[in-house]
Amino acid sequence: MKLSQCAAFVAIADTGSFTNAARALGISQSAVSHAIAGLEAELGVTLMVRDRSGVQLTDAGRRALDPARATVAEAERVRQAARGAGSEPEGTVRIGTSQSFAARLLPGLMSELQARYPLLEIELREGSDTQIARWLHGRAIDIGIVGLPKRGLATAPLLQDEMFAVLPLGHALAAQQALKVGELAGEPFLMPVGGIEALVRATFRTAGLEPAISHHVRDVNALLAMVAAGLGTTVLPRLALPAALPEVRLVPLSPPVVRHLGIGTRPGAQDSPVVAAFIDVARSLALRDDWRRLPVAS
């Protein structure tokens, strides 16, 4: 039985498909299929069946999953012990982050990490909140910035991020000190695509409303430029906003809407000195006002 076979088995169980497992592990789908076929042949049982809804574990697969997960975790502990627990953290740390976090917070975080721990090499991967969680489950990354709560992952709270209405400067509502989400319901709405979208939709649905979406926009800078041009309004978290804004007005929501961000770690990595170093630096920066202050119009 090979460690790679156990890792493929666990990744499929966590991500729900051979395709997602291959993507999370950074290998080909045929390699995943080969690993599972070899593992099933060696064990003499069928571990999973594939149908239109995805992958379903058999009774044997469910019994084997926890020992396989423990095998993968134990291999990671061996690697950590070999590196030496008392030495300065070194090696490669793979970080998953969303566009909204990377826009303003990630550069300062990376600079601080490299200044404190020069032996660390950092690999970045950008994706949605769902993708980051899937990568963590599949061990494709070591650390991810995720929205909380996040079931099935070890997480550490990092910070809270307030949501703001974003309006053109000449908009009739731009002079208000705070806005109820219902006041935006009749406005052409530019929906941010990605991890923020679910929270924006939930904010409207809490008030029993749906936004009047005119466009879906993935890039935050393009989204802000469209608002400045008077093409609609939007709602964005503070940390997704660039340091300098176009001519738009930020208005807090009433009641306030806050998203909770945390640090998620892949299974078995909680005791890693690299992960501990990342959490220490991120939390220390999260307490600094200059890391989180609101941007200003350019």
Side-chain angles (χ1 to χ4, degrees):
M1 185 184 307
K2 298 178 180 177
L3 179 60
S4 59
Q5 293 172 330
C6 291
F9 174 42
V10 172
I12 293 168
D14 286 341
T15 64
S17 77
F18 281 61
T19 301
N20 291 338
R23 187 180 298 117
L25 293 172
I27 60 178
S28 67
Q29 186 171 335
S30 62
V32 172
S33 298
H34 182 74
I36 295 303
L39 183 59
E40 290 181 326
E42 183 171 345
L43 296 176
V45 296
T46 299
L47 296 171
M48 58 191 68
V49 293
R50 283 189 270 189
D51 55 31
R52 292 181 179 178
S53 63
V55 174
Q56 304 296 325
L57 296 184
T58 63
D59 288 342
R62 284 188 287 271
R63 289 193 298 269
L65 181 58
D66 283 345
R69 196 185 299 279
T71 297
V72 175
E74 186 62 29
E76 175 60 26
R77 284 192 285 272
V78 171
R79 282 191 286 267
Q80 293 171 15
R83 294 188 188 114
S87 59
E88 179 179 336
E90 61 178 298
T92 299
V93 57
R94 301 166 300 171
I95 302 171
T97 180
S98 64
Q99 183 188 43
S100 62
F101 186 86
R104 293 178 54 221
L105 302 187
L106 191 62
L109 176 55
M110 288 185 63
S111 296
E112 191 73 14
L113 273 172
Q114 290 175 340
R116 293 196 198 184
Y117 305 106
L119 298 180
L120 280 184
E121 293 184 12
I122 299 171
E123 291 183 2
L124 292 177
R125 199 168 175 183
E126 187 178 300
S128 67
D129 190 67
T130 301
Q131 286 175 318
I132 293 169
R134 187 171 67 238
W135 293 337
L136 287 168
H137 280 299
R139 296 173 173 80
I141 58 175
D142 305 298
I143 299 166
I145 304 300
V146 295
L148 298 179
K150 192 67 69 204
R151 295 177 62 184
L153 285 177
T155 58
L158 180 59
L159 51 81
Q160 296 182 6
D161 190 11
E162 186 176 359
M163 305 287 285
F164 285 81
V166 188
L167 311 169
L169 287 182
H171 196 280
L173 299 174
Q176 295 190 201
Q177 296 303 304
L179 283 173
K180 296 183 182 300
V181 70
E183 296 179 85
L184 299 175
E187 302 287 333
F189 193 82
L190 305 173
M191 178 62 76
V193 176
I196 303 170
E197 181 175 356
L199 180 56
V200 172
R201 289 184 180 275
T203 300
F204 277 88
R205 288 171 182 167
T206 297
L209 302 166
E210 291 288 340
I213 299 171
S214 58
H215 296 87
H216 290 81
V217 187
R218 181 172 299 277
D219 183 79
V220 171
N221 290 316
L223 179 61
L224 291 170
M226 291 173 71
V227 173
L231 297 176
T233 65
T234 193
V235 172
L236 288 171
R238 171 182 55 190
L239 299 180
L241 300 168
L245 292 172
E247 293 186 348
V248 297
R249 165 92 164 111
L250 304 180
V251 183
L253 295 176
S254 178
V257 177
V258 175
R259 67 169 179 165
H260 300 267
L261 293 178
I263 302 168
T265 57
R266 61 178 172 77
Q270 292 88 335
D271 298 326
S272 165
V274 170
V275 170
F278 181 93
I279 293 175
D280 177 60
V281 171
R283 282 182 159 174
S284 65
L285 284 176
L287 298 175
R288 285 170 33 182
D289 289 338
D290 62 331
W291 202 47
R292 302 190 300 168
R293 68 165 57 103
L294 280 170
V296 296
S298 56

